[in-house]
Each structure stands twice: as C-alpha cells, then as structure tokens.
Amino acid sequence: MKKNKKTLSPRQLYLRKIKLDKSKILIIQIAVLVAFVGLWELSTAVGWVDSFFVSSPSRIVRTFADLWKQDIMKHIGITLLECVLGFLISTVVGVIVAILLWWSETFRRVAEPYLVVLNALPKIALGPVIIIWAGANMNAIIMMTFLICIIVTVMSVLNGFMSCDKGKIFLLESMGATKFQILTKLILPYSVPNFISVLKINVGLSWVGTIMGEYLVSGAGLGYLIIYGGQVFKLDLVMASTVILCLLAALMYFSVCLCEKLIARKRRTSK
Amino acid sequence: MDMLSIKNVSLCYQTPEGETDALKNVSLDVKQGEFVSLVGPSGCGKTTILSLTAGLIRPTEGQIFVDGKRVDGKTGCDVGYMLQRDQLFEWRTIRDNVMLGLEIQKKKTAENVEYAENLLIKYGLKDFFKHYPGELSGGMRQRVALIRTLAFRPKILLLDEPFSALDFQTRLSVCDDVYAIIRQEKKTAVLVTHDISEAVSMSDRVVVLSPRPASVKNIFTIDINAPTPLKRREDPGFSVWFDKIWTEVCV
Ligand SMILES: Nc1ncnc2c1ncn2[C@@H]1O[C@H](COP(=O)(O)OP(=O)(O)OP(=O)(O)O)[C@@H](O)[C@H]1O
Ligand SMILES: [Mg+2]
C-alpha cells in the first residue's frame, strides 16, 4: 500500500483526495440521518418521550404500510398534480409577463409599484377571496400556488433580462437587429442560467402554495392528511405525510437539476 | 469617392440633468480603403462620432453619408461596429458567433457562410470552430470579434478602442493581426483610440479632436512607409509624428 502511494503522480494523489473527500461527506451525511432516526426510535422505545406526541420511525413505517394498502396514491397524485400544475402555469405566465415588461418601458414603469406591493403582500391573506372566486376545490389550491409563485417569477426573470450587458444590445442594434431579434438572439439565451435558478426557487414556493391551499380547502391530498391527522391527534399520519412530502419535493428539485444538466451539456456555458 | 462623409455635424445629448454638447460642427471625409484614427482627450465625443455613423443616434445638426447614402436611423449592413469589449456571446460557439450578423440581417446564404468560415480559417482560427469564447485568449477573442464584424461585409469598419482591454504585449501583436486583416480585406476603417502610438502605427491619417464639445482640431497625414504597425513603430519617422500629435492633443 505504502509503496503504491509513492508511485502515484501529484495529479493522481489530488484526484484521489477529491474522491476521498466526496465519500467522506456522503458517509457523514448518511451517518447524521441514521443517528437522527436511531435516536428518535430509541428515545420513544425507552420512553424518554411519548411516541403519541412525536410519533416514531417504526410507527411511521407502519403507517406507511397501512396507507399503502388504502388510498395514499390518490392523495399523492392529487397533491403532485396541484403542485406541478401551479408550478408550470406560474412559470409560463411569469415568463410571458416578464417578456412584455421587458418589451415596453411604459408598461414596466407603470407596473413597478404594483409588483412591489403584491410581492410584499402575504398571499395567504387572499385565501377567502380565492375560495369565493375559484370555489372550494382543486382550482383554489392551484390558484394559491400560482399567486405565490407568479410575482417572484416575474420579478426575478425580469431582473435577469435587465441585467444583460448594454454593450451586447448595442452590438446587435448596430447590426440592424429588431427588438424581437434582440429578444430571441440575446436576452432569452443569455437568461437561461437565471431562469433555471428561478425554477429552483419556484419548486420550493409551489410546494408552500399547494400545502397552504390544501390547509384552506381540500378533501384529499397530503396537506389534507396532515391537517386531518393533526385534528384527530394522529401524529403518525402527520409525520408519514410530511416524510412523503419531503421525498416529493426532493424529487421535483432534482428533476429541475437534471434539466439544468441536460441544458448545460447542450450549451456548455463557459465562465 | 468618399466612403464616409461627415458634414457639419453637431450633437447635443438631452438628459434629465441637462444638456451635454458632445460634438460641435464636426466635418470629416474618409476615402475608400483608408485607415483613419480619431484621437482626443477622454470624454470629448469620439464614441459619439462612431455611434452617429452607425445610425444608433441621430445628429442634432448636419448630415452623415456612408458610401453616398444618408445615414438615417439604423444602417445595419453598411457599417460594422466593433466595440471596446469583444462582446462575444458565451453560449455560442466561435463559428456561431461569427454568423451573428448574417443571422440578424437574414443573409445566411451558403455563400456568405462559406465566406465567414474562410475568414476564420484564413486568420488562424480553423481549429476553434466548435470552441466557446471562454476557451480563447483575449487576443484571439478580439480577432473573432473582428471577423464577426467582417462576416456581413460592411463597407466601413468602426473600431472603438478595440485593444484597450488587452495587455501591452498582446496589444502589439493583435494590432498587427487586425491591421493585416483590414488591409487584406481592403476595408475602410475608422479607429478610435486613446493611444497616440497606436494611432500613428496603424493609420493613413490621424484626426485630432478638441476637448468636448469635439470639433476637428487638426488632421495629420502619416507618411511612414512600413508594412506593419510593429515595423512602423521602429521607423525613425514614428517618434516625430508621435511628438507632433501628442503636442496637438495636449495643447
Ligand atoms: N447617452 C448619453 N447621454 C448623455 N450624455 C452622454 C451620453 N453618451 C455620452 N455622453 C456624454 O457625451 C460626452 C462624449 O461622450 P463620448 O462617449 O462620445 O466620449 P469619448 O470621447 O468616447 O470618451 P472616452 O474617451 O471616455 O471613451 C461625454 O461627456 C459623455 O458624458
Ligand atoms: Mg468612448
């Protein structure tokens, strides 16, 4: 082993160190998770804390199994549908609005104070209004998700557009470009990295919107299960649903990351 | 016939803070194939002259003609404007960067594409077609920026301090490259620079502008006979011209 180490070049040593560091971090991450779950289980098993109040990993697993036999897939499906729809609609509409605002300075200046105020407004305050307009159904939840995401989307995407180098716009103008060409040849491709970070923020926000919406109205979905579980003091149900929620949110986040990787491979944006 | 003709042009910028007189009665003629430099104190209005020629802004008074046509609004294909920073698009390959002008002007024909590709090959960028700007050195990037400007075959090139972002060594060699390319392609060029030695080493004529509002103070016809800017710098006449222009700028 020692002899082997001597024959390695500095480069190989360096690469090996990177690899070792990477596995070290991963091992610690896993250890933290195992320790947390283990301690939780242990403290409820020994009776330090009451599993009625904090549930426990084994009870969560059992609840999982029970839910699996029942209609958990329906609840997951509904919540996922609401979240993804709200996410997609607010992203598409947000980008379109941002393009319009970029296009017209008048529109931009008129809209600015409204955007600022709407951004500061806690969207949950609109709950009753949403229920009256959209009805106490899935539409209300999607609308809540939409409202939470849309303003942030518009503002961040527009900021990205506006941060484009004036010199590049100047260059295109000197070539005789129309405004539409400046948009398609410069502003949009330039904004792709910013757009992706907006998507990542929106993943988080759309889950906030969906669960908040389900707290307000709903007869199904993970948010509904959590509320219901809380009301009837079934902490196991609350915890199990929360764990599923974590997994789904992670899944959606990593899908966006995957998109990012695919795009980066296609474009290889350097520096 | 004059390729560029600026006739009694004045320009006053309007901003909320007030008015800025940038140009006052500027007149200048540039012949086909000529290389002219504009020098003058900082902020005197050099960039403004190029922007007017490119049709990006309109003169308050006077007229500008490029190849006999009055500049009115965007000129597009007649004028190739090369900015201080190369402004290459990082997400496009070198080849696609060079095609930008052709795409904008909807002239991406097989013949024009071949012309642009040949320029890249001719000027030493053959192996970099599929590379991205981030992978090139500053000097190479500047060469790509020039070829991007040449690709749509403008009648006149406007160069706004194209070398100022480069370090001194690179600057001298890129100067040589750019000079060679412009001469070989027989282009008319107007170069704006702070650097008097750069102006003397590259130009047929050097135009000295007065402080803002700029007007033409004096025009020098440089008669050094040497094939490249570097050789010109070694010529005994070089320092004579340098001194003359330097005094003119500073007085
Ligand atoms: N868009 C603008 N609006 C208002 N004033 C402007 C504008 N552009 C330039 N100016 C002013 O006009 C004057 C001339 O500017 P210009 O950029 O043409 O000078 P320059 O000779 O190119 O300067 P530099 O040597 O710094 O590049 C400056 O005083 C500048 O402040
Ligand atoms: Mg300038």
Side-chain angles (χ1 to χ4, degrees), chain B residues 34-92:
Chain B
E34 205 180 7
F35 197 122
V36 171
S37 290
L38 305 180
V39 296
S42 178
C44 72
K46 303 182 291 293
T47 300
T48 306
I49 295 180
L50 297 192
S51 300
L52 283 164
T53 308
L56 296 172
I57 47 179
R58 284 165 197 236
T60 317
E61 274 169 52
Q63 293 163 337
I64 298 175
F65 298 89
V66 170
D67 199 21
K69 267 190 287 176
R70 170 116 189 244
V71 176
D72 188 22
K74 286 174 189 166
T75 38
C77 39
D78 284 348
V79 175
Y81 199 162
M82 190 170 156
L83 299 137
Q84 184 169 347
R85 283 169 45 226
D86 56 55
Q87 303 295 5
L88 297 178
F89 290 7
E90 302 292 336
W91 56 89
R92 282 174 169 241

Side-chain angles (χ1 to χ4, degrees), chain A residues 165 167-168 170-178 181 185-186 189-190 266-271, chain B residues 51 56 74 76 81 83 85 87-92 100-101 103-106 132 134-135 148:
Chain A
D165 192 329
K168 288 195 168 60
F170 218 61
L171 173 79
L172 286 184
E173 280 178 344
S174 80
M175 288 173 167
T178 59
Q181 283 178 320
K185 300 276 179 206
L186 173 62
Y190 164 83
K266 244 186 97 188
R267 295 171 17 126
R268 276 207 319 164
T269 330
S270 33
K271 280 162 225 164
Chain B
S51 300
L56 296 172
K74 286 174 189 166
Y81 199 162
L83 299 137
R85 283 169 45 226
Q87 303 295 5
L88 297 178
F89 290 7
E90 302 292 336
W91 56 89
R92 282 174 169 241
L100 186 66
E103 281 173 33
I104 295 292
Q105 295 166 8
K106 306 218 164 64
Y132 286 81
E135 298 161 320
R148 176 184 61 193

Side-chain angles (χ1 to χ4, degrees), chain B residues 93-104:
Chain B
T93 59
I94 297 307
R95 184 186 168 282
D96 290 348
N97 261 295
V98 166
M99 299 303 163
L100 186 66
L102 295 177
E103 281 173 33
I104 295 292

Side-chain angles (χ1 to χ4, degrees), chain B residues 203-251:
Chain B
S203 339
D204 300 319
R205 284 192 293 154
V206 176
V207 178
V208 177
L209 299 168
S210 68
R212 192 177 65 80
S215 54
V216 177
K217 203 170 174 190
N218 210 337
I219 300 182
F220 298 90
T221 306
I222 313 290
D223 58 356
I224 304 174
N225 261 324
T228 69
L230 267 180
K231 290 266 157 51
R232 275 180 158 210
R233 282 172 190 267
E234 290 160 7
D235 193 280
F238 182 82
S239 59
V240 180
W241 281 115
F242 182 93
D243 290 341
K244 260 192 200 171
I245 293 168
W246 196 77
T247 358
E248 187 70 26
V249 172
C250 291
V251 167

Side-chain angles (χ1 to χ4, degrees), chain B residues 105-212:
Chain B
Q105 295 166 8
K106 306 218 164 64
K107 294 197 296 195
K108 213 176 164 187
T109 60
E111 191 218 335
N112 285 338
V113 168
E114 200 190 319
Y115 173 74
E117 284 180 342
N118 279 335
L119 283 176
L120 279 174
I121 295 170
K122 198 160 145 195
Y123 298 115
L125 292 155
K126 185 168 181 254
D127 300 329
F128 295 92
F129 273 38
K130 293 208 164 61
H131 283 62
Y132 286 81
E135 298 161 320
L136 266 59
S137 70
M140 283 162 107
R141 291 175 65 119
Q142 216 58 37
R143 235 185 300 160
V144 175
L146 178 64
I147 293 171
R148 176 184 61 193
T149 319
L150 291 170
F152 56 93
R153 294 185 240 205
K155 292 177 177 156
I156 181 164
L157 287 175
L158 308 177
L159 313 167
D160 194 353
E161 306 189 33
F163 314 119
S164 57
L166 305 172
D167 63 79
F168 187 68
Q169 286 296 331
T170 323
R171 202 164 161 156
L172 290 183
S173 77
V174 175
C175 245
D176 261 21
D177 285 352
V178 166
Y179 181 84
I181 297 172
I182 290 173
R183 290 292 170 172
Q184 271 188 53
E185 304 300 321
K186 298 190 174 57
K187 290 291 175 194
T188 311
V190 178
L191 170 80
V192 161
T193 179
H194 272 121
D195 183 344
I196 294 170
S197 62
E198 198 172 282
V200 175
S201 71
M202 291 180 88
S203 339
D204 300 319
R205 284 192 293 154
V206 176
V207 178
V208 177
L209 299 168
S210 68
R212 192 177 65 80

